[in-house]
């Protein structure tokens, strides 16, 4: 956009000069008086117009004079339009204003009095979009503002990499370490109804039985005789994979079922799901554990990624009576927010074992990896590998 300045002894005269050179498409931006009549001279007005057609050539050489002005050598000069290209500068100013608006911290408490630097605005917005815990966001931002070298703050990639490093340090991850030949491991999957415990067990069973190249013997035990179709679902999986399945309906039968699977390297126990608020059903799982208390059983809490942070806290609080060892997150393909997973795992100090990213058995399973979760966080989407 071109900005042109025209002068005249009256506003009308200045406007006529502008229209004579620029045509009717000129847009009047401002009209102002720039000098008063004195010493025989007359008033002088300036009209600034804008032309949207940047490619149009303007040759503005017209003189604006008066009889009195011609007698004064200092004022007998040609007034030429000053051409300004403000487009780039205006866009920069608009962008800066938007960045400032985005950087305003909107705290829920007076404790959070932090102002986000422009260099961190995009990253701060990511934390907000991912429903990251606000207290942790504040802490991370404050430390980063203080610790990140000034030379790196101007480089968006360096800022991005620094935040990735911070997130990597706070995500607790349990590395997958396959068993040696004569080792044995019993894993009990617990969690609310519908979070995907059974499907996750089928994925894990297929992984250890066929995908690691170790020829592990895998067995499955189900304690879920309440849900309609639960046993049939597992039976279908075990028939396809040719794996043994034990159905246990009473706590005292669990010992015998595990004895029948004594040759298995991995035994996965599926439990009945229930509401996190149904404490009685959660306690029933403890009754099964008490019958085999002499055996080391790894308890993994299966949590859905598509619920808010407060729901995760409620689930963990009530299921923690089972002495939870690790976490597995499912339904990552059903959400766009991953900050709640990171902040929740960090606050509970429970390491993540696996991520389930769909219903396909055995493919939609990701071994715990902080880089995977951070990529999901940065992209607001489950990044399939």
């Amino acid at each position: 956009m071109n900005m042109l300045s025209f002068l005249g002894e009256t506003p009308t005269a200045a406007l006529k000069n502008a229209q004579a050179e620029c045509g009717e498409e000129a847009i009047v931006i401002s009209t102002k008086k720039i000098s008063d009549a004195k010493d025989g001279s007359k008033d002088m007005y300036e009209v600034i117009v804008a032309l949207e057609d940047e490619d149009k050539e303007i040759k503005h050489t017209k003189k604006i004079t008066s009889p009195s002005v011609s007698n004064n050598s200092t004022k007998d000069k040609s007034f030429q339009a000053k051409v300004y290209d403000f487009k780039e500068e205006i866009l920069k100013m608009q962008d800066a204003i938007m960045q400032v608006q985005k950087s305003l911290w909107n705290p829920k408490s007076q404790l959070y009095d932090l102002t986000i630097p422009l260099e961190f605005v995009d990253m701060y917005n990511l934390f907000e979009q991912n429903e990251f815990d606000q207290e942790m966001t504040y802490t991370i931002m404050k430390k980063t503002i203080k610790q990140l070298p000034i030379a790196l703050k101007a480089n968006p990639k360096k800022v991005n990499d620094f935040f990735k490093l911070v997130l990597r340090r706070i995500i607790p991850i349990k590395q997958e370490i396959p068993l040696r030949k004569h080792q044995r491991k019993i894993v009990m999957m617990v969690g609310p109804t519908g979070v995907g415990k059974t499907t996750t067990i089928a994925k894990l069973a297929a992984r250890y039985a066929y995908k690691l190249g170790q020829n592990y013997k895998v067995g499955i035990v189900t304690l879920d005789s309440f849900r309609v179709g639960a046993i049939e679902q597992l039976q279908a999986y075990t028939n396809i994979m040719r794996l043994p399945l034990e159905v246990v309906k009473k706590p005292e039968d669990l010992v015998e079922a595990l004895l029948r699977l004594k040759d298995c390297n991995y035994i996965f126990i599926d439990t009945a799901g229930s509401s996190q608020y149904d404490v009685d059903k959660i306690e029933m799982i403890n009754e099964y554990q008490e019958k085999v208390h002499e055996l080391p059983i790894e308890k993994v809490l299966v949590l859905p990624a598509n619920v808010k942070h407060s729901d995760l806290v409620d689930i963990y609080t009530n299921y923690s009576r089972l002495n939870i060892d690790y976490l597995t997150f499912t339904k990552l393909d059903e959400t766009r927010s991953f900050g709640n997973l990171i902040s929740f795992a960090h606050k509970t100090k429970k390491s993540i074992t696996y991520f389930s990213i769909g219903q396909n058995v055995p493919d939609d399973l990701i071994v715990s990896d902080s880089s995977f979760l951070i990529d999901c966080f940065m992209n607001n989407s489950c990044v399939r590998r």
Side-chain angles (χ1 to χ4, degrees):
M1 178 179 290
N2 287 330
M3 307 288 286
L4 306 175
S5 172
F6 294 88
L7 303 179
E9 295 172 356
T10 66
T12 302
L15 181 59
K16 285 183 178 179
N17 290 331
Q19 291 176 336
E21 297 232 9
C22 301
E24 296 295 331
E25 68 270 20
I27 301 171
V28 178
I29 302 299
S30 68
T31 302
K32 65 180 179 179
K33 189 176 185 180
I34 61 173
S35 66
D36 295 320
K38 62 181 180 178
D39 299 330
S41 65
K42 294 186 178 183
D43 293 338
M44 191 63 65
Y45 292 85
E46 179 187 46
V47 171
I48 297 178
V49 299
L51 282 179
E52 294 185 355
D53 187 358
E54 297 183 5
D55 297 326
K56 183 175 181 180
E57 184 178 357
I58 302 294
K59 295 181 179 179
H60 183 59
T61 58
K62 184 177 181 180
K63 292 182 179 180
I64 301 175
T65 61
S66 66
S68 60
V69 173
S70 62
N71 297 326
N72 190 331
S73 61
T74 60
K75 296 185 178 180
D76 188 20
K77 296 182 179 180
S78 298
F79 293 96
Q80 295 185 350
K82 298 178 182 179
V83 181
Y84 303 95
D85 185 4
F86 285 122
K87 183 177 181 180
E88 184 177 353
E89 292 301 320
I90 291 173
L91 290 175
K92 287 181 180 179
M93 291 172 63
Q94 290 176 340
D95 184 62
I97 292 172
M98 291 180 63
Q99 293 292 333
V100 171
Q101 289 175 338
K102 290 190 293 182
S103 69
L104 295 178
W105 185 271
N106 185 23
K108 295 181 180 179
S109 166
Q110 292 301 316
L111 174 65
Y112 303 113
D113 55 357
L114 189 65
T115 300
I116 306 300
L118 293 178
E119 298 89 351
F120 295 169
V121 168
D122 289 340
M123 189 57 62
Y124 169 67
N125 288 336
L126 264 180
F127 276 77
E128 289 286 286
Q129 294 163 13
N130 277 277
E131 300 179 16
F132 206 87
D133 179 78
Q134 193 172 46
E135 182 181 351
M136 288 183 63
T137 300
Y138 173 82
T139 302
I140 291 172
M141 287 288 169
K142 187 173 183 179
K143 287 184 177 180
T144 305
I145 291 170
K146 183 178 180 180
Q147 296 175 4
L148 187 65
I150 296 177
L152 299 182
K153 290 182 180 179
N155 187 325
K157 185 179 185 305
K158 296 294 184 182
V159 172
N160 188 287
D161 289 343
F162 189 87
F163 275 101
K164 284 185 177 182
L165 178 62
V166 173
L167 291 174
R168 189 171 291 111
R169 288 177 175 174
I170 67 174
I171 301 175
I173 294 293
K174 182 183 184 295
Q175 301 298 326
E176 182 185 65
I177 304 176
L179 298 178
R180 291 190 290 273
K181 187 174 181 179
H182 299 293
Q183 285 184 306
R184 186 188 191 203
K185 186 176 186 178
I186 304 175
V187 180
M188 177 181 284
M189 312 293 279
V190 301
T193 305
V195 296
K197 295 187 297 297
T198 302
T199 304
T200 302
I201 284 177
K203 294 175 184 177
L204 289 169
R207 175 175 178 79
Y208 284 105
Y210 297 106
K211 299 193 71 174
L212 295 183
Q214 299 292 327
N215 295 320
Y216 288 120
K217 293 182 179 179
V218 178
I220 298 176
V221 176
T222 179
L223 312 181
D224 187 3
S225 58
F226 302 98
R227 184 167 56 93
V228 176
I231 297 175
E232 289 76 8
Q233 182 183 7
L234 265 180
Q235 188 72 64
Y237 285 133
T238 54
N239 285 344
I240 293 172
M241 294 184 283
R242 299 187 298 277
L243 302 178
L245 171 65
E246 294 287 337
V247 179
V248 176
K249 296 183 178 181
K250 297 183 294 184
E252 52 269 23
D253 295 338
L254 181 56
V255 176
E256 294 182 4
L258 293 176
L259 284 174
R260 286 191 290 270
L261 298 175
K262 65 181 186 303
D263 293 331
C264 292
N265 301 104
Y266 288 93
I267 300 175
F268 294 100
I269 302 177
D270 192 16
T271 60
S274 67
S275 165
Q276 60 267 32
Y277 306 111
D278 192 341
V279 177
D280 291 338
K281 285 189 177 180
I282 297 174
E283 283 293 345
M284 286 181 62
I285 300 175
N286 257 336
E287 294 181 21
Y288 284 92
Q289 288 193 101
E290 290 172 1
K291 296 298 180 180
V292 290
H293 63 86
E294 72 281 357
L295 294 176
I297 299 179
E298 187 178 280
K299 275 84 66 179
V300 178
L301 178 60
V302 182
L303 295 166
N306 59 347
V307 300
K308 58 183 182 292
H309 182 81
S310 60
D311 289 334
L312 293 176
V313 172
D314 285 346
I315 294 171
Y316 177 77
T317 299
N318 288 321
Y319 272 90
S320 61
R321 65 187 68 241
L322 301 178
N323 297 318
I324 301 300
D325 296 300
Y326 303 106
L327 307 175
T328 286
F329 286 109
T330 61
K331 304 181 185 293
L332 271 75
D333 56 317
E334 298 180 20
T335 185
R336 291 288 183 266
S337 301
F338 301 90
N340 57 335
L341 309 188
I342 297 173
S343 51
F344 173 78
H346 176 74
K347 286 194 169 185
T348 59
K349 306 301 180 186
K350 298 297 181 181
S351 298
I352 305 169
T353 55
Y354 297 93
F355 300 109
S356 177
I357 59 172
Q359 294 296 313
N360 293 328
V361 178
D363 297 325
D364 290 343
L365 185 73
I366 301 290
V367 179
S368 58
D369 181 358
S370 58
S371 296
F372 168 77
L373 188 54
I374 292 170
D375 286 343
C376 294
F377 178 90
M378 293 292 180
N379 291 280
N380 286 128
S381 176
C382 177
V383 182
R384 291 177 176 268
R385 294 182 173 181

